[in-house]
Amino acid sequence: MVLRSLPCIMVACFFVGPVTTQDALGFDPSVAGLLKPMVDPDGNDGFKAMLSRGYMPLFNGKDLSGWRNPYPHGNAKVVDGEIHLTADNKFFLVTEKKYGDFRVSVEIHLPDGEANSGVMFRCHVDPNRDKKVFGYQAECDGSERRWSGGLFDEARRRWIWPSTKGRSEDRFLSHEKESKAAFAEPAIRDALNRNGWNRFEITCIGDQIRIEVNGVQTVNLRDETDKVGFIGIQHHGEEGQTYRFRNLFIKELPLVPAEQAVELVDQPPVSVTKISDSVTLVDFGKVAFGNVAMRIPDSGADNAIVRFGEKLKEGRIDRKPPGTVRCGQSEVRSGTGERSSWVVPTPINRRNTEQTGSHPPAVLTPEAWMPVMPFRWVEIEGWPVEFKPESITRRAAFAKGWNEDASSFEGSDEVLNQVWDLCKYSIKATTFAGVYVDGDRERIPYEADAYLNQLSHYMTDDDVRMAAHTFDWLMENGTWPTEWAPHMVFMAHAEWMDKGDTDWLAARYESLKTKTLLDRSGKNGLVLSDAMDRNKHDIVDWPKGERDGYVFTEINTVVNAFHIEAIKRMAVMARAVGKEEDAKAFDARVELATAAFQETLFDEESGLYRDGVKTDHHSIHANFIPLAFGLVPEDEIAGVASWLCEQGMQCSVYAAQYLLDGLFANGCEGKAIELIKNDGDRSWKHMVQSGTTITWEAWDLKYKPNQDWNHAWGAAPANLLPRHVLGAQPAVAGWKTAMVRPCVGGLKHAKGKIPTPVGAIEIDWRNESSFELRLSLPEQMDAVVSLPATEGSTGVLLDGKSVDAARKGGRWILADKVSGKVTLEVK
């Protein structure tokens, strides 16, 4: 990041592109076709995609309503749903309406020969000037210079990024070398399709400006010169040339997802305790995001203090809690209390409401709510009369229509049941923002956090739209870690598998190409990490102390496992949307990278994976991530899994999702369940025993001193227990076919309900002298069934009759699918 203070301008430029050493390390140019999102030739798919993603058309496809030409020259007309500009002198067609904060998308097709165009934004029109339109422009550069996506200040300051002598003001020349180097990088240099359609996307929030060309970010800087203005498109003035524009869309910002997706629920207190003559403590039983409504006395003391807190200390709200555990206070005045309730807002935390800075914008909650924060306890000081329980109500924010009865889990281990209750409620309580956020500290979606939240949301509620909304948010507001980008592929795949909505997937498929890490892959298929990646971007686990001594090298085992899994899922999704050539190319890449992964990173002597090249260190992360993604060869699985079982929980609550997934899927369910309810401080049992009601960001404050106490990525058992212990997952998109594979793990019995878009699956199994499973499937669903092979078992009965089943390892696999209500018994 480069931060500069300049006269009249503040610029902070963040270049996000391929690392500069990739060519030297062997970047493979043959993957170029899978890197760049393709713009469809007729534009119809693009139009539907933009509507699907919540954009509003700036152009109706029929006439130029809402547009004007402020010049006496130039011609604009509508041809087959496109705007065609012709002229013999430069001019701009501009909107009649001004816009402030927004994300705008425009597709441009340049004419042959000399051509230059662009998208004006927050621009101005002065009819008295020769150059009537001036201001910001996202450059569309058809010349060999290849500065498409650069920021030009039309008829004013000229080139801002990149800058160049003679065409930039002196204050911008300090970053001339850096900005020109950025535009020499292959991803940016080649972003424009010179002879076809190109999608330009510009995001403006406050003083922050971001430009993307065909999914490649070219500019991210701050400039406070203009905060509002028109949108415009340009003809450069070449006589006889036609510039074409289509699919002009805008999404005005900020979005407030909670306005549509969340509701406030009135909750009475669980208890009210008088602490002293002047202090009353109100307990709402669990932490929730919200504020309170109170019946304020008509008379008495002028002011009373209302404190909100997540933590108690010696029977009072802890006013100086550790980390980012929340505490705050507001004042109330005597008023009309007995006749009506007043909303008492929580204090505002500027960090989790800011829209610009070194990170993506925070997710705002509706102004009508007034500020909210997470709290369980309310402390009232200076109340002039006796405080009554009916005088206060918490207004708690939860996803609209949350169905408490949609899901359930109960097993023979009471600790596991308590863990389920904690994790299920954690998912419910953290839906307050309308998209999945990382807790209260920043209120920002992060890709890995969101994916874990998504998996658990599917398993706990029966109307999950928030996952798709979060995906769209993150595609426009991505974060920095290397492995977080492939999580976007995982999110899209999981949403498609859950809903089966291929149209939704098709509208987003092309944009996912930028999230696979293929831009960093070498000729052997493996992703390469330069010094910046090794020191900052490659994350492995978070916080840093949870990495089990991981050694970062230029070929990182964890990064490559995520990359291979991402392109594997891309191949599946490519076929689903009819992109067979892409699917074949992804398949070939998976085969190439997987072979290189095993040859380069597997240590034959130890039977384990190294952290990377040029190190003999074997972290648990370098082994459980490949195990979870099915990368370990079949004859090596037992050795890797056995070694992992000996290591314990040497990872964070985030990475535990993948550790436990790998153990459950590979015959180590007993160890997985043991880790969930361990007696130490690195387990969910520890969270339960602490008294928390929402899962934490880390196992304990000593592992992450600034952690949130309201973080859904710590709620992995909300999906692990239904998916593995009960054993239901989608096998075909839309749950047309389920995979039912219960994992016993030493439990005597387990039962529960798993929500799906086509109805609930109910499972009830007992593991005593034999294994018996009662299964109820929705009408539209069948299931592939895999049952644990009890000692000495010889087959499987279906409703008392023997059925064809094959023994594989420790499981019986039924030859035929089942449907409806059935009872299965392993004999």
Side-chain angles (χ1 to χ4, degrees), residues 1-4 11-17 161 178 182 188 207-211 217-222 356-359 536:
M1 181 179 75
V2 179
L3 180 65
R4 297 185 178 87
V11 179
C13 299
F14 312 88
F15 168 58
V16 180
W161 184 278
E178 178 187 5
I188 293 180
D207 63 354
Q208 196 152 3
I209 298 169
R210 188 168 76 241
I211 300 173
Q217 181 173 289
T218 57
V219 167
N220 192 350
L221 58 78
R222 300 178 72 174
T356 60
S358 59
H359 54 68
K536 180 180 179 182

Side-chain angles (χ1 to χ4, degrees), residues 406 753-756 758-762 776-778 781:
K753 183 191 292 187
I754 298 165
T756 82
V758 295
I761 300 172
E762 294 187 41
S776 177
L777 298 169
M781 185 189 299

Side-chain angles (χ1 to χ4, degrees), residues 459 493-494 496-500 727-741 754-759 761 763 775-786 813-820:
M459 293 287 127
H493 181 261
W496 172 63
M497 288 296 291
D498 187 67
K499 305 295 192 305
Q729 301 190 51
V732 174
W735 287 91
K736 293 176 182 177
T737 297
M739 163 61 77
V740 176
R741 183 185 178 276
I754 298 165
T756 82
V758 295
I761 300 172
I763 291 174
L775 174 65
S776 177
L777 298 169
E779 287 185 8
Q780 304 95 320
M781 185 189 299
D782 56 27
V784 176
V785 178
S786 168
I813 315 296
L814 270 65
D816 298 320
K817 298 174 185 176
V818 303
S819 59

Side-chain angles (χ1 to χ4, degrees), residues 173-281:
L173 293 178
S174 60
H175 61 239
E176 179 179 10
K177 182 177 179 181
E178 178 187 5
S179 60
K180 285 182 175 177
F183 274 77
E185 289 291 340
I188 293 180
R189 181 195 66 204
D190 301 330
L192 188 79
N193 176 12
R194 178 60 185 86
N195 298 309
W197 285 99
N198 297 274
R199 180 178 295 115
F200 280 69
E201 294 184 313
I202 303 105
T203 304
C204 294
I205 304 175
D207 63 354
Q208 196 152 3
I209 298 169
R210 188 168 76 241
I211 300 173
E212 299 163 63
V213 180
N214 294 325
V216 177
Q217 181 173 289
T218 57
V219 167
N220 192 350
L221 58 78
R222 300 178 72 174
D223 183 84
E224 60 185 15
T225 302
D226 293 314
K227 296 294 180 65
V228 67
F230 302 103
I231 308 295
I233 52 179
Q234 178 192 22
H235 189 292
H236 200 250
E238 298 86 358
E239 187 173 2
Q241 298 280 53
T242 299
Y243 287 76
R244 301 162 61 190
F245 303 83
R246 70 181 190 194
N247 289 343
L248 293 87
F249 283 87
I250 195 164
K251 182 185 289 184
E252 295 194 70
L253 304 175
L255 297 178
V256 184
E259 288 179 338
Q260 303 299 322
V262 182
E263 61 187 355
L264 294 179
V265 177
D266 290 338
Q267 296 179 318
V270 171
S271 66
V272 175
T273 305
K274 190 171 183 179
I275 302 297
S276 68
D277 289 343
S278 61
V279 178
T280 299
L281 182 69

Side-chain angles (χ1 to χ4, degrees), residues 255 351-355 359-364 442-444 473:
L255 297 178
R351 183 175 184 186
N352 62 31
T353 60
E354 64 186 3
Q355 296 294 287
H359 54 68
V363 181
L364 301 180
E442 296 173 303
R443 295 192 191 173
I444 292 171
W473 181 287

Side-chain angles (χ1 to χ4, degrees), residues 215-497:
V216 177
Q217 181 173 289
T218 57
V219 167
N220 192 350
L221 58 78
R222 300 178 72 174
D223 183 84
E224 60 185 15
T225 302
D226 293 314
K227 296 294 180 65
V228 67
F230 302 103
I231 308 295
I233 52 179
Q234 178 192 22
H235 189 292
H236 200 250
E238 298 86 358
E239 187 173 2
Q241 298 280 53
T242 299
Y243 287 76
R244 301 162 61 190
F245 303 83
R246 70 181 190 194
N247 289 343
L248 293 87
F249 283 87
I250 195 164
K251 182 185 289 184
E252 295 194 70
L253 304 175
L255 297 178
V256 184
E259 288 179 338
Q260 303 299 322
V262 182
E263 61 187 355
L264 294 179
V265 177
D266 290 338
Q267 296 179 318
V270 171
S271 66
V272 175
T273 305
K274 190 171 183 179
I275 302 297
S276 68
D277 289 343
S278 61
V279 178
T280 299
L281 182 69
V282 180
D283 182 6
F284 287 95
K286 293 182 178 181
V287 173
F289 285 79
N291 49 40
V292 295
M294 301 177 66
R295 299 180 70 82
I296 312 297
D298 285 331
S299 60
D302 287 341
N303 296 307
I305 295 173
V306 179
R307 294 191 184 91
F308 305 86
E310 287 185 285
K311 181 177 180 293
L312 289 187
K313 183 178 182 180
E314 298 176 354
R316 298 285 300 273
I317 288 177
D318 190 344
R319 299 190 199 178
K320 295 182 179 179
T324 48
V325 178
R326 290 309 190 200
C327 173
Q329 69 179 45
S330 300
E331 290 188 355
V332 296
R333 289 179 173 273
S334 299
T336 61
E338 295 304 323
R339 292 189 292 274
S340 64
S341 294
W342 285 12
V343 174
V344 181
T346 65
I348 296 173
N349 186 319
R350 293 191 180 278
R351 183 175 184 186
N352 62 31
T353 60
E354 64 186 3
Q355 296 294 287
T356 60
S358 59
H359 54 68
V363 181
L364 301 180
T365 52
E367 287 187 18
W369 290 5
M370 303 180 72
V372 298
M373 67 177 278
F375 66 93
R376 172 178 173 175
W377 289 279
V378 170
E379 196 174 88
I380 301 161
E381 185 173 352
W383 200 256
V385 297
E386 181 182 358
F387 190 85
K388 302 174 183 177
E390 58 267 27
S391 296
I392 187 169
T393 300
R394 181 168 66 181
R395 305 180 336 137
F398 302 119
K400 280 185 179 177
W402 175 278
N403 182 3
E404 199 64 36
D405 296 326
S407 63
S408 64
F409 174 88
E410 182 183 346
S412 55
D413 189 291
E414 184 53 31
V415 171
L416 217 55
N417 299 338
Q418 292 171 354
V419 168
W420 160 260
D421 290 341
L422 168 65
C423 293
K424 176 179 175 177
Y425 178 74
S426 299
I427 298 302
K428 175 182 178 180
T430 54
T431 58
F432 76 99
V435 292
Y436 306 139
V437 297
D438 70 326
D440 195 52
R441 185 171 58 250
E442 296 173 303
R443 295 192 191 173
I444 292 171
Y446 283 88
E447 293 87 343
D449 307 50
Y451 176 61
L452 270 59
N453 202 330
Q454 172 187 23
L455 292 180
S456 293
H457 199 176
Y458 291 151
M459 293 287 127
T460 50
D461 197 10
D462 58 4
D463 184 12
V464 181
R465 306 178 197 181
M466 203 168 287
H469 296 157
T470 307
F471 174 87
D472 286 343
W473 181 287
L474 278 164
M475 286 302 295
E476 297 175 358
N477 299 283
T479 66
W480 55 271
T482 295
E483 298 96 309
W484 276 207
H487 276 89
M488 293 304 295
V489 178
F490 298 177
M491 286 191 75
H493 181 261
E495 174 67 9
W496 172 63
M497 288 296 291

Side-chain angles (χ1 to χ4, degrees), residues 124-181:
H124 307 280
V125 177
D126 184 346
N128 298 317
R129 290 176 45 149
D130 289 338
K131 297 181 177 180
K132 300 182 186 302
V133 176
F134 60 96
Y136 298 133
Q137 182 185 97
E139 182 81 1
C140 184
D141 182 5
S143 73
E144 287 303 311
R145 181 181 54 182
R146 300 190 185 188
W147 282 3
S148 288
L151 180 61
F152 188 73
D153 196 357
E154 174 72 28
R156 197 166 54 183
R157 296 171 298 169
R158 300 179 293 176
W159 280 105
I160 296 176
W161 184 278
S163 57
T164 188
K165 288 183 177 63
R167 298 204 66 195
S168 298
E169 295 184 357
D170 289 345
R171 52 183 162 169
F172 301 128
L173 293 178
S174 60
H175 61 239
E176 179 179 10
K177 182 177 179 181
E178 178 187 5
S179 60
K180 285 182 175 177

Side-chain angles (χ1 to χ4, degrees), residues 690-710:
S690 76
T692 187
T693 59
I694 302 181
T695 51
W696 299 336
E697 186 181 2
W699 295 121
D700 196 85
L701 283 163
K702 69 182 180 183
Y703 300 116
K704 192 174 193 294
N706 72 332
Q707 70 156 313
D708 271 324
W709 271 15
N710 44 70

